[in-house]
Structure formats: C-alpha cells, structure tokens
C-alpha cells in the first residue's frame, strides 16, 4: 500500500494536491500567503557577469522562497507552482512597465528563454514556457507568450535558409525552435525575455543576440530569481 501511495505521489500533482508550501515547506497550503507576498516584491536590477545589451531584472535573489519554489518545480515536479510564479512574473512586468523599463507599445511579447535539455524531458513540458504563458494570460489580450527559442549542441540542416538566418542558425547553442519559425509577431511591439534563474547571464545574452539576428529586439530580461 505504501508503495502504491508513493507511486501516486511520484506521478505528480494531477492526482494529489500538495499541502506543503512550495516556497517554505509550511504545511497547510501549496503556496502560502507569506511566500506570495515575498514574490510580489518589486523587481531588482541585476548586474550579470556577462554584460547584456538590455537591463536584466529579477523578482528577487535566488534564496528563500524564490529558490525553494524553483527547486520544487524542477526537482519535485510541483507543476502547481507554475501558476503563482507566472502571476508573480506578470506583476513584475507591470511594475517594469510603470517604471518605464518596458516600452508602452501596442503589444508585448514574452519570450521564454530556451529549455535546458534536462528540463525539456520532464513531463508536462518546459516550466519556464508554462510560467510565461501564465504571465501573458494574466496580462491581457495585447500580451502573448511566444516560445521561439531552443538550445541545441548541433547546427540544424540549414538548407532552405537565407544567409542571414543561416548564420544565426549556426552561431551557437541557441536557435529558433524551427528553422522556418516566423518571428514576425515579435518584431513589433515590446519584447521581454523571461527565465527562471539568471546566473552568469550567458543564456540571456545569447538569446538576445539570436533574437536580434532574426529582427526581434528584446527590451528587458525578467527572471524569477537572480543568483
Ligand atoms: Zn510559503
């Protein structure tokens, strides 16, 4: 019986609603008011080791509920935390907009930073893309999430690509999801690159660069937690 229960628990949160806060381990609710309040703090400006052409912001430092909630999502498959984290990102976007850090255009596109291979394999898809979709949904009809980027350690067959796209395609480990992906919808309006954690800034820098190759100007980077 114990092993059956363990199997059900391991199978994820579709069946079992956790009653331990994913941000602080307090029993009683999956996401406690204290952690929700902490993640509602105003964003902080990061100074990544790798210089970015745009400002990078985090909802907070990678510790406390920021760290624990992301570990819960990635290591313990707490998919139920994607919604509160996505909503927290949405609040961050609103604050950055008020501060004038994101241009006030007709549309805003959130682009999730590309999936690491380890998380790509996980059940239910990439958590960062899921958070980005939650955030976009929260922000209304003029905001969308466009899952444009993936990582790869090889260059895709570049037959059929024009020279500009070909160079972009071969330039590094980050590329458009499909060589034929049309980044068009993101080439106008404001664009924010979103991610869960920013450490060195390498992923963000390469993402911004690759997007620029394809005519997409990123105006800000926003992550849940900055190292
Ligand atoms: Zn909590």
């Amino acid at each position: 019986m114990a092993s059956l229960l363990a199997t059900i628990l391991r199978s994820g949160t579709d069946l079992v609603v956790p009653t331990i806060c994913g941000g602080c381990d307090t029993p009683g609710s999956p996401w406690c008011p204290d952690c929700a309040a902490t993640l509602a703090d105003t964003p902080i400006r990061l100074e990544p080791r790798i210089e970015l052409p745009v400002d990078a912001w985090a909802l907070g430092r990678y510790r406390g509920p920021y760290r624990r909630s992301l570990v819960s999502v990635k290591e313990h498959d707490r998919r139920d935390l994607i919604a509160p984290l996505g909503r927290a990102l949405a609040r961050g976007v609103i604050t950055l907009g008020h501060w004038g850090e994101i241009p006030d255009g007709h549309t805003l596109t959130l682009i999730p930073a590309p999936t690491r291979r380890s998380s790509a394999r996980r059940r239910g898809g990439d958590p960062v893309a899921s958070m980005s979709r939650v955030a976009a949904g929260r922000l209304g009809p003029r905001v969308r999430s466009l899952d444009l980027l993936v990582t790869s350690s090889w260059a895709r067959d570049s037959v059929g690509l024009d020279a500009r796209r070909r160079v972009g395609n071969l330039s590094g480990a980050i590329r458009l999801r499909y060589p034929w992906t049309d980044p068009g919808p993101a080439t106008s309006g404001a664009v924010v690159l979103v991610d869960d954690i920013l450490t060195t800034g390498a992923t963000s820098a390469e993402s911004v660069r690759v997007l620029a190759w394809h005519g997409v100007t990123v105006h800000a980077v926003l992550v849940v937690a900055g190292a």
Side-chain angles (χ1 to χ4, degrees):
M1 202 55 206
S3 67
L4 174 62
L5 181 60
T7 305
I8 293 170
L9 287 169
R10 268 200 306 274
S11 78
T13 53
D14 299 343
L15 296 174
V16 179
V17 177
T19 52
I20 291 175
C21 175
C24 66
D25 283 355
T26 300
S29 71
W31 185 240
C32 79
D34 284 353
C35 286
T38 301
L39 262 74
D41 277 352
T42 52
I44 53 172
R45 194 196 302 263
L46 300 174
E47 287 173 9
R49 207 176 328 145
I50 292 175
E51 205 178 324
L52 296 173
V54 294
D55 282 335
W57 303 85
L59 301 181
R61 293 283 168 198
Y62 189 57
R63 58 187 175 224
Y66 297 95
R67 179 178 185 281
R68 200 171 290 210
S69 58
L70 292 175
V71 169
S72 295
V73 170
K74 291 204 280 195
E75 305 299 327
H76 308 299
D77 207 20
R78 285 284 303 268
R79 306 280 310 175
D80 62 297
L81 298 176
I82 284 169
L85 291 171
R87 289 196 296 269
L89 282 171
R91 273 192 301 274
V93 167
I94 290 168
T95 304
L96 292 179
H98 285 321
W99 290 349
E101 298 292 341
I102 301 171
D104 188 12
H106 280 298
T107 60
L108 169 63
T109 304
L110 307 181
I111 299 181
T115 314
R116 284 66 147 183
R117 269 180 293 283
S118 57
S119 62
R121 277 195 229 104
R122 288 189 184 279
R123 199 179 61 90
D126 171 27
V128 174
S130 302
M131 286 174 208
S132 179
R133 276 195 297 275
V134 169
R138 191 78 172 177
L139 291 166
R142 294 195 310 178
V143 183
R144 79 200 132 201
S145 176
L146 216 52
D147 197 0
L148 281 181
L149 300 172
V150 289
T151 57
S152 70
S153 52
W154 67 94
R156 282 292 172 113
D157 184 1
S158 56
V159 171
L161 302 182
D162 61 35
R164 188 160 147 271
R165 284 197 175 194
R166 193 171 298 195
V167 172
N169 190 45
L170 296 173
S171 63
I174 293 174
R175 57 176 175 80
L176 289 193
R177 178 164 295 276
Y178 306 107
W180 58 87
T181 300
D182 177 15
T187 54
S188 64
V191 175
V192 175
L193 183 78
V194 300
D195 206 350
D196 49 1
I197 304 164
L198 189 146
T199 47
T200 62
T203 302
S204 294
E206 181 66 3
S207 298
V208 169
R209 201 184 63 76
V210 169
L211 286 167
W213 260 110
H214 294 281
V216 177
T217 302
V218 175
H219 297 95
V221 175
L222 176 63
V223 302
V224 174

